[in-house]
């Protein structure tokens, strides 16, 4: 629609004009600063809807019922728009982001940051269940199927009865990966230090990344590697919410909002090359669209941007 196109152009303009900088999170640089991901909604956003929601959540909740209803309608509209943002979108000729967009407040060793295992979940149960249902509906299954879970941990959010010949995991912490019952094999590797994946070409039917794409400092190199290890027609699924470790998330992520993130991840697919046009699915739990849910910031939204390797 015309409204979606206007919003896309506005967000892209905001991204391109954004002043470089690093979010100064109220936390130390140490690995123990956060036990689990924090809601990123306290960080700046170029999304007008997100800004409106945050304004309301900071003391204007006593607004009239009609005003709240208006915000709820806007929420539904924003929900639809997010899924439509990538449809027919014409990306700029050149990758629009700069080196400083991938800097972080904490440029210390990621291996040190993740050295202590975190047996916690970084999104709430509603978002986890939504992602599991998405996997159930969209992932291939069977003895000949191979799946790679990058930035993996002690849980992959796959359905309990999911069946595949291979579910490989690549993550940062040996103890977490060893505790994951759905992995058939795993590798410990820092993708920001070494984005090349340690697998043969055309090895996997699907590559998954749950709530970690915002930490990738070399996304084009990584997405080119994802393309290399996928079989023709294979799919890569990048899921994300509005939670993060703010000292470790890249600058362009912490300074923008959810709709912008859809365009950012979609651009990774596009500029890596060899993928079909990326798509977005808003899988946020149904209670995320209920009155007051977004205003109060209750529950975690959930989005998947995915792309298929050209056959």
């Amino acid at each position: 629609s015309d409204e979606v196109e206007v919003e896309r152009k506005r967000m892209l303009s905001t991204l391109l004009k954004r002043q470089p900088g690093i979010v100064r999170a109220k936390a130390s640089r140490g690995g123990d600063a956060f036990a689990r991901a924090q809601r990123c909604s306290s960080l700046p956003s170029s999304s007008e809807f997100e800004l409106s929601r945050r304004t309301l959540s900071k003391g204007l909740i006593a607004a009239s019922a009609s005003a709240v209803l208006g915000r709820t309608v806007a929420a539904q509209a924003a929900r639809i728009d997010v899924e439509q943002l990538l449809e027919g979108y014409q990306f700029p000729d050149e990758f629009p982001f700069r080196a400083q967009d991938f800097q972080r407040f904490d440029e210390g060793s990621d291996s040190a940051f993740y050295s202590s295992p975190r047996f916690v979940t970084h999104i709430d149960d509603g978002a986890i269940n939504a992602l599991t249902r998405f996997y159930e509906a969209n992932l291939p299954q069977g003895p000949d199927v191979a799946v790679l879970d990058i930035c993996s941990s002690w849980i992959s959010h796959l359905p309990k009865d999911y069946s595949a010949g291979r579910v490989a995991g690549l993550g940062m912490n040996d103890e977490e990966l060893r505790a994951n019952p759905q992995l058939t094999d795993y590798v410990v590797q820092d993708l920001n230090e070494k984005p090349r994946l340690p697998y043969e070409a055309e090895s996997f039917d699907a590559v998954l990344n749950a709530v970690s794409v915002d930490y990738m400092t070399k996304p084009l190199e990584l997405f080119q590697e994802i393309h290399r290890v996928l079989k023709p027609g294979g799919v890569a699924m990048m899921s994300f919410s509005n939670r993060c470790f703010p000292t470790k998330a890249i600058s362009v992520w912490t300074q923008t909002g959810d709709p912008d993130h859809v365009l950012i991840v979609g651009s990774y697919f596009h500029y890596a090359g060899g993928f079909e046009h990326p798509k977005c699915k808003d899988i946020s739990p149904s209670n995320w669209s209920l009155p007051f849910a977004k205003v109060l910031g209750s529950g975690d939204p959930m989005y998947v941007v995915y792309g298929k390797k050209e056959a």
Side-chain angles (χ1 to χ4, degrees):
S1 67
D2 292 341
E3 292 80 4
V4 173
E5 184 61 26
V6 169
E7 177 67 4
R8 286 195 293 211
K9 290 180 179 178
R10 185 198 63 74
M11 287 193 297
L12 179 62
S13 177
T14 301
L15 285 170
L16 294 178
K17 294 178 181 178
R18 185 183 52 79
Q19 295 299 312
I22 304 299
V23 168
R24 301 299 176 181
K26 296 178 180 179
S28 68
R29 292 175 180 265
D32 295 329
F34 300 105
R36 65 191 298 268
Q38 306 296 301
R39 192 179 298 280
C40 292
S41 58
S42 61
L43 304 175
S45 166
S46 67
S47 165
E48 292 176 1
F49 173 78
E50 281 292 301
L51 289 172
S52 297
R53 181 183 68 76
R54 291 169 197 169
T55 299
L56 285 175
S57 68
K58 289 181 179 178
L60 299 182
I61 299 176
S64 66
S66 61
V68 173
L69 178 59
R71 295 300 179 185
T72 303
V73 172
Q76 294 288 7
R79 183 182 178 91
I80 295 172
D81 288 349
V82 169
E83 292 195 349
Q84 295 177 347
L85 283 173
L86 293 172
E87 293 183 9
Y89 181 63
Q90 298 297 315
F91 288 94
D93 291 339
E94 298 181 359
F95 191 54
F97 305 114
R98 305 152 296 183
Q100 55 262 46
D101 291 324
F102 302 102
Q103 294 175 345
R104 304 165 299 169
F105 176 61
D106 180 2
E107 292 288 4
S109 168
D110 289 343
S111 295
F113 185 88
Y114 295 104
S115 61
S116 298
R118 294 178 173 90
F119 293 104
V120 297
T121 54
H122 300 293
I123 48 178
D124 64 20
D125 289 345
I128 290 173
N129 292 336
L131 181 58
T132 298
R133 289 193 297 269
F134 181 85
Y135 284 160
E136 185 173 28
N138 293 280
L139 279 178
Q141 297 194 47
D144 297 326
V145 170
V147 173
L148 171 61
D149 181 17
I150 61 174
C151 303
S152 186
S153 180
W154 68 281
I155 183 172
S156 292
H157 306 309
L158 294 166
K160 290 183 178 180
D161 59 351
Y162 180 73
S163 174
R166 182 185 187 188
V167 180
L170 186 151
M172 292 291 294
N173 187 278
D174 184 89
E175 288 184 59
E176 292 179 6
L177 293 166
R178 189 166 63 247
N180 189 327
Q182 293 183 305
L183 300 181
T184 58
D185 58 275
Y186 70 84
V187 173
V188 176
Q189 181 173 316
D190 182 351
L191 291 174
N192 286 336
E193 288 290 330
K194 187 179 179 183
R196 182 171 177 81
L197 298 173
Y199 306 103
E200 297 294 326
E202 301 184 1
S203 296
F204 297 98
D205 298 277
V207 175
L208 314 177
N209 181 305
V211 294
S212 295
V213 68
D214 46 323
Y215 304 122
M216 299 295 99
T217 61
K218 301 174 182 176
L220 288 191
E221 294 177 52
L222 176 59
F223 274 64
Q224 289 164 355
E225 277 296 291
I226 290 172
H227 177 271
R228 182 183 66 82
V229 303
L230 275 174
K231 299 176 184 178
V235 63
M237 302 177 179
M238 306 289 124
S239 61
F240 52 90
S241 184
N242 64 356
R243 289 186 175 273
C244 67
F245 293 118
T247 60
K248 283 297 185 181
I250 57 174
S251 173
V252 71
W253 194 275
T254 57
Q255 296 185 33
T256 53
D258 293 346
D260 307 292
H261 298 161
V262 170
L263 289 179
I264 291 168
V265 178
S267 76
Y268 295 166
F269 281 104
H270 175 79
Y271 294 103
F275 289 98
E276 295 179 4
H277 194 84
K279 299 180 180 180
C280 174
K281 183 67 175 177
D282 182 350
I283 61 170
S284 303
S286 57
N287 65 343
W288 183 246
S289 61
L290 293 176
F292 294 104
K294 287 192 175 183
V295 173
L296 297 173
S298 62
D300 294 336
M302 200 68 192
Y303 312 96
V304 183
V305 174
Y306 59 99
K308 286 187 176 183
K309 180 177 179 176
E310 294 175 347

